[in-house]
């Protein structure tokens, strides 16, 4: 049977009892904490706080002097998207150079006269971003309110001056870079322009777009001229063919004839030759061939013929002499006739055809050159565009550098910062610390916490079991009774103002809570074995000093008062107590009855009506063998026939295992535990020992509980009031 109760109720009472048991050392700790708090609150000097505010601008807003470069230099930005630029500026204000400059300008000293350190200064400095604004609040704490105000004002001024110098320095660095880059950029511009000019000169380009249009137009015109020339050639060729048919000679012959007709020297020689031939023919009619006149005329004819051939050769060429011979008669006989005019027309036609052919060839050649140019223009245009882009890019860079150089020159001379003071340092009229109310509240809270921690720490350090609940939780046996200690205010009801021994509560103070607790113990034992025998009961404990002997004596007295014949046997042969409780001699007892087989009745002493006691007897070195012997078993059987109840006070279980042998001879075992005496280790060991030996444990009796610290005796006050009324 396992005792069950509300877990919440058990925990609450358990914690309260822990505090109640250890209240004194915990109260000392609490008092020390309150004392330390009072000392701290009264010993601290008042501290004042000054506050100033800086407003930050995303860019410069002085439009009279602002430049594009100046805007970029004064712009606030942050690399981390989760942070704001104000976080960065706050860290700049906290930086050691800004703080050191402020310390030096104000000549801040410590109480000892030394220069204040950066670490000490930063402890009193607080920077706070006002949410939803671009304002940073700067606070400083010091024992002197005027000093704190001066520090805030000077810190803001140092930051703004540093910000201006930083912006100007950035402008100077940027300007130096631009000045350094200008010559190189200018050289690149000249180089790009030179490349573009060389390209245009090499490719004869003035305006490539206009040239492309003009070239295409020229090609179209040339095509038209070619078509017209070809038509003229066809027309001229037809006319020449018609003339050839009319004069009966081809073009070459006509050309030759015309050339001969055009030669004056040839005509003169031809005329002279004609005259000589005429004269020769005439003279032959008069003379013979051997006549000197005839001979002379033949020689002259031959000379003129030779001269004529020479002239023909010089006029029309040697390969055309035969052609001349075939047409010379016509030339001579028909010179100046219509045929000569036709011949001249044929020659003119041939000349015109030749001129037209040459013109056509020239036009074709020109068209070819134009087409070649047109085909090369896209590539040239692409190259020109690339070169032009280089020129434009170089010029743009150069112009931008020139523009920025002038802007940076202006920005370098500006005294603009990206922050302005919107509220100068204002010191608080009243100290901000120490707040004695908060200090005492914290001290009280801390002291209370230390009170609780101390109480529970002491509870953890102690290994003993403190309450009935803890005893029950460890042993897990039914609770037969809880015997209050005499220290309990309500443990006596109607008792006299004299000292009463706890061993005689049932006899000497029958109306006390202690006596009632023993009667309750008897009642619960009776309920346990209504249908079975419960005559021989062993009373034991885990360790000494738990009151098993007292419980045994008082339980026996309760049974005796109920008119039962009761025998109390002191079986604790190692540390017997019953003979001392009842002022008996211990010369003869249980050990003698077992060893010497002395008649046990002679050792039994009556201490009350219906109540006998069998002391332990003389000490024995072999107690274990005595208690577990067959003689002991037989003795208990004999005794049980004579008495209604036999109560056996056995040795503690965790120190002496003899009790286990003895308890096997009994009808049941009652385990006594005393909070504050028994420790957890002994309790756990006893529980395991009983479980392993399969003992018939009737239940648990908690002895020596305090009503003020144990919830099991809350009823005692109620019972006391009820008894007084009765």
């Amino acid at each position: 049977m396992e005792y069950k109760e509300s877990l919440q109720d058990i925990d609450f009472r358990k914690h309260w009892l822990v505090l109640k048991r250890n209240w004194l050392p915990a109260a000392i700790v609490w008092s020390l904490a309150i004392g330390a708090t009072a000392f701290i609150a009264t010993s601290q000097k008042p501290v004042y706080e000054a506050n100033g505010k800086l407003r930050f601008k995303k860019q410069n807003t002085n439009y009279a002097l602002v430049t594009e470069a100046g805007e970029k230099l004064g712009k606030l930005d942050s690399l981390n998207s989760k942070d704001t630029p104000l976080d960065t500026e706050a860290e700049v204000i906290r930086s050691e150079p800004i703080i050191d400059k402020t310390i030096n300008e104000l000549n801040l000293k410590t109480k000892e006269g030394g220069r204040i350190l950066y670490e000490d200064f930063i402890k009193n400095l607080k920077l706070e971003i006002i949410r939803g604004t671009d304002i940073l609040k700067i606070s400083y704490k010091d024992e002197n309110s005027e000093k704190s105000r001066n520090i805030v004002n000077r810190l803001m001024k140092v930051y703004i001056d540093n910000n201006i110098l930083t912006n100007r320095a950035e402008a100077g660095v940027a300007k130096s870079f631009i000045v350094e880059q200008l010559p190189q950029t200018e050289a690149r511009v000249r180089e790009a322009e030179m490349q573009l000019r060389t390209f245009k000169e090499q490719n004869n380009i003035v305006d490539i777009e206009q040239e492309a249009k003009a070239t295409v137009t020229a090609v179209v015109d040339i095509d038209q001229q070619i078509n017209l020339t070809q038509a003229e050639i066809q027309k001229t060729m037809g006319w020449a063919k018609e003339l050839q048919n009319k004069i009966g000679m081809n073009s070459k012959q006509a050309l030759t004839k015309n050339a001969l007709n055009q030669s004056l020297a040839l005509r003169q020689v031809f005329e002279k030759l004609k005259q000589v031939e005429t004269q020769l023919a005439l003279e032959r009619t008069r003379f013979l061939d051997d006549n000197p006149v005839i001979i002379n005329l033949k020689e002259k004819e031959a000379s003129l013929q030779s001269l004529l051939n020479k002239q023909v050769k010089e006029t029309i060429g040697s390969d055309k002499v035969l052609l001349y011979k075939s047409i010379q008669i016509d030339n001579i006989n028909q010179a100046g006739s219509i045929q000569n005019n036709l011949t001249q027309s044929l020659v003119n036609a041939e000349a015109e055809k030749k001129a037209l052919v040459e013109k056509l060839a020239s036009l074709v050649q020109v068209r070819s050159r134009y087409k070649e140019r047109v085909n090369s223009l896209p590539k040239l245009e692409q190259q020109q565009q690339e070169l032009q882009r280089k020129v434009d890019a170089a010029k743009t860079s150069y112009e931008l550098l020139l523009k920025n150089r002038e802007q940076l020159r202006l920005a370098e001379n500006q005294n603009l910062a990206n922050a302005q003071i919107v509220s100068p340092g204002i010191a608080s009229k009243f100290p901000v610390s120490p707040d004695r109310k908060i200090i005492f509240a914290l001290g009280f809270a801390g002291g209370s916490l230390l009170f609780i921690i101390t109480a529970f720490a002491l509870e953890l350090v102690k290994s003993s079991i403190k309450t009935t609940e803890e005893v029950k939780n460890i042993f897990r046996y039914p609770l037969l009774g809880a015997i209050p200690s005499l220290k309990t205010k309500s443990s006596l009801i109607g008792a006299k103002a004299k000292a009463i021994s706890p061993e005689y509560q049932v006899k000497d103070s029958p109306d006390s809570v202690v006596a009632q607790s023993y009667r309750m113990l008897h009642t619960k034992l009776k309920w346990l074995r209504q249908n079975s025998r419960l005559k021989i009961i062993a009373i034991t404990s885990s360790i000494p000093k738990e009151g098993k002997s007292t419980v045994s004596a008082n339980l026996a007295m309760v049974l005796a008062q109920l008119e039962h014949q009761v025998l109390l046997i002191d079986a604790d042969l190692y540390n017997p107590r019953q003979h001392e409780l009842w002022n008996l001699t211990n010369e003869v007892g249980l050990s003698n009855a077992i060893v010497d087989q002395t008649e046990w009745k002679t050792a039994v002493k009556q201490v009350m009506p219906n109540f006998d006691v069998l002391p332990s007897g003389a000490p024995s070195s072999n107690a274990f063998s005595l208690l577990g012997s067959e003689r002991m078993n037989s003795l208990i059987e004999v005794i049980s026939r004579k008495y209604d109840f036999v109560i056996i006070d056995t040795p503690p279980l965790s120190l002496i295992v003899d009790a286990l042998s003895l308890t096997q001879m009994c009808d049941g075992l009652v385990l006594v535990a005393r909070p504050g005496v028994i420790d957890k280790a002994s309790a756990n060991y006893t529980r395991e020992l009983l479980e392993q030996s399969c003992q018939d444990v009737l239940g648990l009796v908690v002895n020596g509980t305090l009503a003020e610290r144990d919830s099991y005796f809350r009823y005692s006050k109620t019972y006391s009031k009820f008894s007084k009324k009765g």
Side-chain angles (χ1 to χ4, degrees), residues 507-575:
K507 181 179 70 172
D508 298 339
S509 183
D511 295 331
S512 67
V513 175
V514 176
Q516 295 297 335
S517 298
Y518 282 113
R519 293 189 184 96
M520 180 61 71
L521 171 61
H522 162 259
T523 302
K524 287 188 177 182
L525 288 173
K526 183 178 179 182
W527 290 344
L528 285 174
R529 296 292 177 90
Q530 291 181 354
N531 300 322
S532 61
R533 169 182 166 174
L534 183 58
K535 192 172 187 178
I536 305 172
I537 302 173
I539 309 295
T540 187
S541 64
S542 299
I543 59 176
K545 306 295 184 182
E546 293 194 76
K548 61 179 179 58
S549 298
T550 302
V551 172
S552 301
N554 281 277
L555 178 60
M557 282 189 282
V558 169
L559 293 172
Q561 288 176 354
L562 295 175
E563 304 297 329
H564 295 296
Q565 292 294 322
V566 182
L567 175 64
L568 174 58
I569 301 176
D570 190 352
D572 190 352
L573 302 181
Y574 301 94
N575 186 24

Side-chain angles (χ1 to χ4, degrees), residues 37 120 131 155 185 249 351 475 543 553 691:
T37 301
D120 297 330
R131 188 174 181 181
L155 180 61
T185 306
M249 62 179 65
F475 285 108
I543 59 176
E691 290 175 354

Side-chain angles (χ1 to χ4, degrees), residues 395-410:
K395 284 183 177 180
T396 302
S397 299
Y398 184 69
E399 292 171 358
L400 182 61
L401 288 176
L402 288 175
K403 180 181 177 181
N404 284 337
R405 183 185 65 179
E406 297 305 318
Q407 291 178 347
L408 289 170
R409 184 176 297 167
L410 294 174

Side-chain angles (χ1 to χ4, degrees), residues 148-358:
S148 63
R149 184 179 67 82
N150 292 336
I151 289 174
V152 170
N153 287 331
R154 185 54 59 94
L155 180 61
M156 291 192 294
K157 183 178 182 302
V158 168
Y159 166 74
I160 290 176
D161 292 343
N162 179 77
N163 185 258
I164 292 173
L165 292 176
T166 301
N167 291 340
R168 294 179 64 181
E170 289 179 1
V173 172
K175 189 186 75 173
S176 299
F177 172 77
I178 289 176
V179 170
E180 181 182 350
Q181 293 296 317
L182 272 174
Q184 302 176 13
T185 306
E186 186 177 4
R188 286 198 293 271
V189 172
R190 288 196 298 268
E191 182 181 357
E193 290 177 342
M194 180 62 70
Q195 291 178 354
L196 180 60
R197 188 182 70 182
T198 303
F199 172 78
K200 288 184 176 181
E201 291 175 352
Q202 290 176 350
N203 295 278
N204 299 319
I205 296 174
V206 177
D207 187 340
I208 197 166
E209 185 176 355
Q210 294 298 328
E211 182 182 357
K213 293 180 181 178
T215 304
V216 172
T217 302
V219 169
V220 173
D221 293 341
I222 291 172
D223 285 338
Q224 292 177 355
Q225 293 180 26
I226 288 174
N227 293 332
L228 292 175
T229 303
Q230 288 176 343
E232 289 293 332
I233 291 174
Q234 293 297 328
K235 180 180 178 182
T236 304
M237 289 177 63
W239 181 37
K241 187 175 182 181
E242 184 178 354
L243 290 174
Q244 288 176 5
N245 293 331
K246 286 181 178 181
I247 63 176
M249 62 179 65
N250 56 27
S251 299
K252 291 182 179 180
Q253 292 173 343
L255 288 173
T256 301
K257 181 178 180 180
N258 186 60
L260 294 175
N261 290 334
Q262 295 294 330
S263 178
L264 181 60
L266 183 62
R267 289 184 65 85
Q268 291 175 354
V269 173
F270 186 79
E271 289 295 334
K272 289 180 180 182
L273 178 61
K274 188 69 175 174
Q275 291 175 3
V276 170
E277 288 180 349
T278 301
Q279 188 178 1
L280 179 61
L282 181 61
E283 291 299 331
R284 279 182 174 174
T285 60
R286 294 167 57 191
F287 303 104
L288 296 174
D289 290 339
D290 57 353
N291 187 282
V293 176
I294 297 301
I295 295 171
N296 185 35
L297 288 173
K298 286 185 178 180
E299 290 178 355
K300 191 175 182 178
E301 180 186 19
S303 176
L304 289 173
Q305 186 67 43
S306 174
L307 180 60
L308 180 62
N309 292 335
K310 182 178 180 181
Q311 288 294 330
V312 170
K313 184 176 182 181
E314 290 178 358
T315 302
I316 62 175
S318 59
D319 54 339
K320 296 181 181 179
V321 175
L322 295 178
L323 178 63
Y324 156 73
K325 291 180 178 180
S326 64
I327 64 173
Q328 60 182 346
I329 297 175
D330 294 332
N331 286 332
I332 297 172
N333 295 328
Q334 300 178 8
S337 65
I338 295 175
Q339 189 173 10
N340 288 337
N341 293 332
L342 293 176
T343 301
Q344 184 62 42
S345 297
L346 178 59
V347 170
N348 292 338
E350 289 294 334
E352 184 178 356
K353 185 183 76 170
K354 182 178 181 182
L356 289 174
V357 170
E358 290 178 356

Side-chain angles (χ1 to χ4, degrees), residues 16-62:
W16 169 249
L17 292 174
V18 168
L19 297 176
K20 197 170 183 179
R21 282 195 299 271
N22 301 291
W23 73 270
L24 183 58
I28 293 174
V29 173
W30 182 85
S31 301
L32 292 175
I34 296 298
T37 301
F39 175 77
I40 293 172
T42 55
S43 62
Q44 287 186 349
K45 293 183 178 180
V47 175
Y48 297 86
E49 184 179 58
N51 298 310
K53 295 179 181 178
L54 283 175
R55 177 176 176 266
F56 290 87
K57 298 168 288 184
K58 293 184 178 180
Q59 60 186 16
N60 292 329
T61 56
N62 190 343

